[in-house]
Amino acid sequence: MALRLVQVNIKARDDSALGQFWADALGWGVSSEGPGVTNVEPLNFKWPDPAAVCVDVVTVPDPETVKYRVHLDLATTSAQHQQELVGRLTELGATPADIGQGDVPWVVMADPEGNLFCVLEPRPIYQDTGPIATVVVNCENPRVMADFWCEATDWTLHEVNDEHARLRSSSGVGPYLELLRTSDPDALQSRIHLDLMPYPGDDQAAEVARLHALGAHDADVGQGDVPWKCLTDPEGNDFCVLRAG
């Protein structure tokens, strides 16, 4: 039994506008499964596929009250590409962001609704990930979190130390999941969480029970009667378990 990381979920005031921003930023397309939801995924993409972690943008009444500790890092292939991507993102409505990062080779930005993300300088490890290099989760203990996410998913642990852990799909494709130690992760606000999905034939309830045994807890975020299950990881980060697809 294992789960797949299939998408990141972004809370928004306007899912259509923010979804279009991320589609243009990543060079992907948009679709919708219903009012208030915009799906952002590669063109001609059959979801789910480990080659890409997609983006689901959902309108909520007051996204500012939602706190998650996740952000996206975008990949570049050269210094010129990084500069051009920052320029294009600025034209699309992104703005520079100062979170105390100082003089670093990556560029911290905010999307049109204020969600932070980074445009990385070219790094060899991210040259085959697609436009999203890594999904970053801020945490207090990367080793503990790596143990949980390795057991929760079928992703492979590539590196772990006291400062960060790096996982990737067992298929060896798509972006990485990076667990980054932060002294005060609660001080970092974003409106993004992870969505996981069982494999076909696996039971959602059994997977949720397995996650409970690993240290996950049920979460009430006002979701009501929905087909997915809202949980938190051992450090309190919200995530959802979708029905098997």
Side-chain angles (χ1 to χ4, degrees):
M1 298 174 70
L3 292 161
R4 297 168 284 176
L5 173 56
V6 293
Q7 64 191 22
V8 294
N9 183 295
I10 301 178
K11 301 291 186 287
R13 299 182 189 88
D14 184 339
D15 65 280
S16 179
L18 191 61
Q20 191 61 59
F21 166 84
W22 280 105
D24 292 339
L26 301 172
W28 290 359
V30 296
S31 61
S32 178
E33 61 195 66
V37 181
T38 297
N39 311 112
V40 183
E41 56 193 33
L43 300 173
N44 303 314
F45 182 76
K46 186 176 180 180
W47 186 85
D49 185 320
V53 172
C54 297
V55 177
D56 211 29
V57 185
V58 180
T59 293
V60 297
D62 186 9
E64 293 296 346
T65 65
V66 181
K67 291 184 181 181
Y68 299 112
R69 300 179 302 201
V70 178
H71 73 265
L72 301 180
D73 284 350
L74 305 188
T76 62
T77 57
S78 66
Q80 181 178 353
H81 181 206
Q82 183 188 29
Q83 183 178 12
E84 291 174 348
L85 181 56
V86 169
R88 186 164 63 84
L89 292 166
T90 301
E91 292 177 355
L92 292 172
T95 53
D98 186 351
I99 57 172
Q101 68 269 23
D103 184 17
V104 293
W106 59 88
V107 180
V108 183
M109 306 191 78
D111 71 18
E113 289 206 10
N115 298 296
L116 297 176
F117 65 96
C118 297
V119 181
L120 301 180
E121 76 283 5
R123 302 182 191 181
I125 192 173
Y126 300 136
Q127 293 307 294
D128 65 347
T129 61
I132 298 176
T134 182
V135 180
V136 180
V137 178
N138 295 294
C139 63
E140 295 179 359
N141 192 325
R143 292 184 184 275
V144 171
M145 291 283 280
D147 287 343
F148 173 82
W149 285 105
C150 283
E151 291 290 336
T153 69
D154 64 348
W155 283 37
T156 301
L157 182 63
H158 284 251
E159 182 180 0
V160 62
N161 55 46
D162 291 339
E163 297 301 317
H164 77 277
R166 184 178 288 120
L167 295 78
R168 197 182 194 189
S169 165
S170 57
S171 300
V173 296
Y176 289 82
L177 174 65
E178 186 163 356
L179 310 169
L180 182 65
R181 191 182 75 82
T182 307
S183 58
D184 185 10
D186 284 326
L188 301 176
Q189 297 188 29
S190 65
R191 303 192 299 266
I192 302 176
H193 71 257
L194 307 180
D195 283 345
L196 311 180
M197 177 182 284
Y199 280 90
D202 285 348
D203 180 68
Q204 181 192 46
E207 284 293 332
V208 169
R210 186 175 66 86
L211 293 168
H212 285 157
L214 294 173
H217 299 279
D218 293 327
D220 185 353
V221 294
Q223 68 270 23
D225 184 18
V226 292
W228 57 88
K229 301 299 181 181
C230 298
L231 302 169
T232 61
D233 68 19
E235 286 200 7
N237 297 297
D238 293 271
F239 68 97
C240 292
V241 179
L242 310 179
R243 284 180 174 171

